[in-house]
Amino acid sequence: MENKKRRFAVLTGGGDCPGLNAVIRAVVKTFLQNDCEVYGVINGFNGLVNDNLQLMDYAAVSGILPRGGTILGTTNRDNPFKFAVEENGELVYKDMREKVLENLQKYDIEALVVIGGDGSLNIGAQLARECGVKVVGVPKTIDNDLPCTERTFGFDTAMAMATEALDRLHTTAESHHRVMVLEVMGRYAGWIALHSGIAGGADVILLPEIPYKLDSVIKKIEARKAAGKSFSIVVAAEGAKPEGGEMSVARMVKGSFEPIRLGGIGEKVANAIEEATGIESRCTVLGYLQRGGSPTPYDRVLSTRYGVAAAEACLRGEYNVMVSLYHDQIVTVYIQKAASQPRQVPVDSEIIRTGRQLGMCFGD
């Protein structure tokens, strides 16, 4: 009798991110190269609950390396352990783990590759821990805040977009003698703000890790004015907050992995600067531009390395792990550890010291 092929599945969960398609392509091609079958789960964990899986072949991943987004679709709301179902016109939340197990068994799936951030990886870890599902995680987020890895794919692209925005804002600020504030994503970590701020030559960088004093920001801007610099550039991470204050919450999203949506700090800082200094100040919120579009070459390479490594872990039977970048090598770490608290910028890090040596103000 002909040997039965091993079968695997891959899904993308949480927010979209440059490099997702590069990971999918690498996962699928590696499995096919090793005479396995691979299914794509449509729309993240929703597809596992609602039996929406598609067999993938080489044609399915042809030409997707430079594409942004994900050809499989994604959602940051569907959690099989707390799945929204409409009953009598109202949403109720049910534990649908049995449907997930039923569908994985139906397709004879040996293991599941979960490409996602902390929310998706936590669900993957829970499926492994409580349901016995064999899982391999791939760290995805533009925020670069996942523990147990030195870099997540998508971060380089987001940082490049934020840096380009700063370059463009610089010319307007200088021409109009204004303070320009750029609000960037990052949730509770300041990696995007820090790296783009240094790359874009910002004068002030506000991070969640360093609560800022408005007086320190004003002092920096007035010192530049006294030195003949009639404009300033401020980068504010969406999770930045004043000393003794709270982060700015734009809205709440019920049923999401992460219900809190941060936003609004840039406008608050711009208004406060203009009121205190009299210098015309404007805020630009970069928003979803950071998550869209074609990934940078670095992210394409990193995503491809992660995808190959995830498939290889499955092939050798190493499960319930996440692939990780460590000293420029792809390794594996225990997924329960990888789905822990977010990784923030160390306040005593070399890169912050670099910024300080350049005279940048961090608001402290």
Side-chain angles (χ1 to χ4, degrees), residues 30-332:
T30 304
F31 281 138
L32 294 178
Q33 285 277 90
N34 287 273
D35 199 31
C36 299
E37 291 183 343
V38 55
Y39 285 81
V41 184
I42 307 303
N43 296 330
F45 291 102
N46 184 287
L48 278 185
V49 172
N50 290 314
D51 188 13
N52 195 355
L53 287 76
Q54 294 181 2
L55 189 63
M56 308 285 283
D57 58 13
Y58 285 110
V61 295
S62 177
I64 69 171
L65 177 62
R67 284 175 56 181
T70 165
I71 62 168
L72 295 177
T74 188
T75 170
N76 56 10
R77 295 185 182 223
D78 293 321
N79 180 344
F81 296 96
K82 190 180 178 183
F83 196 81
V85 179
E86 188 172 332
E87 289 186 352
N88 301 320
E90 293 186 359
L91 282 181
V92 295
Y93 293 91
K94 293 189 173 183
D95 188 336
M96 303 293 278
R97 72 180 77 189
E98 292 302 324
K99 289 294 296 182
V100 170
L101 295 175
E102 178 185 316
N103 289 325
L104 289 174
Q105 186 175 17
K106 173 182 175 180
Y107 292 90
D108 196 23
I109 302 298
E110 178 181 329
L112 177 67
V113 176
V114 176
I115 311 169
D118 55 356
S120 300
L121 292 179
N122 267 295
I123 292 172
Q126 192 174 356
L127 285 171
R129 182 176 64 249
E130 299 181 13
C131 306
V133 177
K134 296 173 181 176
V135 175
V136 173
V138 180
K140 171 234 69 172
T141 171
I142 66 168
D143 303 328
N144 200 39
D145 63 347
L146 287 179
C148 305
T149 186
E150 294 173 356
R151 182 69 67 98
T152 60
F153 74 86
F155 169 67
D156 189 73
T157 306
M159 177 182 59
M161 172 58 70
T163 302
E164 181 181 349
L166 287 171
D167 290 345
R168 293 174 180 270
L169 290 174
H170 194 108
T171 59
T172 294
E174 189 171 12
S175 298
H176 289 269
H177 318 297
R178 290 174 177 166
V179 173
M180 301 298 286
V181 180
L182 180 69
E183 181 181 313
V184 299
M185 287 180 166
R187 300 190 304 171
Y188 308 108
W191 296 103
I192 295 176
L194 176 60
H195 282 254
S196 65
I198 289 179
D203 306 299
V204 179
I205 302 175
L206 303 180
L207 309 174
E209 294 84 354
I210 305 176
Y212 69 87
K213 302 173 186 174
L214 184 60
D215 286 349
S216 296
V217 176
I218 300 303
K219 183 178 178 181
K220 174 63 179 178
I221 292 169
E222 290 183 334
R224 282 179 51 80
K225 185 177 180 180
K229 297 286 189 178
S230 59
F231 70 97
S232 293
I233 302 292
V234 179
V235 182
E238 63 183 353
K241 61 182 179 181
E243 191 173 63
E246 301 293 330
M247 295 181 181
S248 298
V249 176
R251 61 194 178 100
M252 302 292 289
V253 180
K254 187 177 180 181
S256 174
F257 295 163
E258 185 192 2
I260 299 174
R261 295 290 189 271
L262 298 174
I265 187 62
E267 194 68 38
K268 288 182 180 179
V269 169
N271 290 339
I273 290 172
E274 182 167 329
E275 183 177 343
T277 65
I279 302 173
E280 190 175 3
S281 304
R282 295 289 182 268
C283 172
T284 297
V285 180
L286 199 51
Y288 291 102
L289 289 172
Q290 295 158 94
R291 282 189 4 195
S294 184
T296 60
Y298 179 91
D299 272 337
R300 296 184 198 190
V301 172
L302 181 60
S303 300
T304 300
R305 293 174 69 191
Y306 275 149
V308 169
E312 287 180 337
C314 291
L315 291 170
R316 64 176 176 265
E318 185 183 0
Y319 296 127
N320 306 334
V321 296
M322 182 190 80
V323 292
S324 165
L325 183 68
Y326 179 72
H327 290 180
D328 200 35
Q329 298 295 312
I330 305 298
V331 300
T332 56

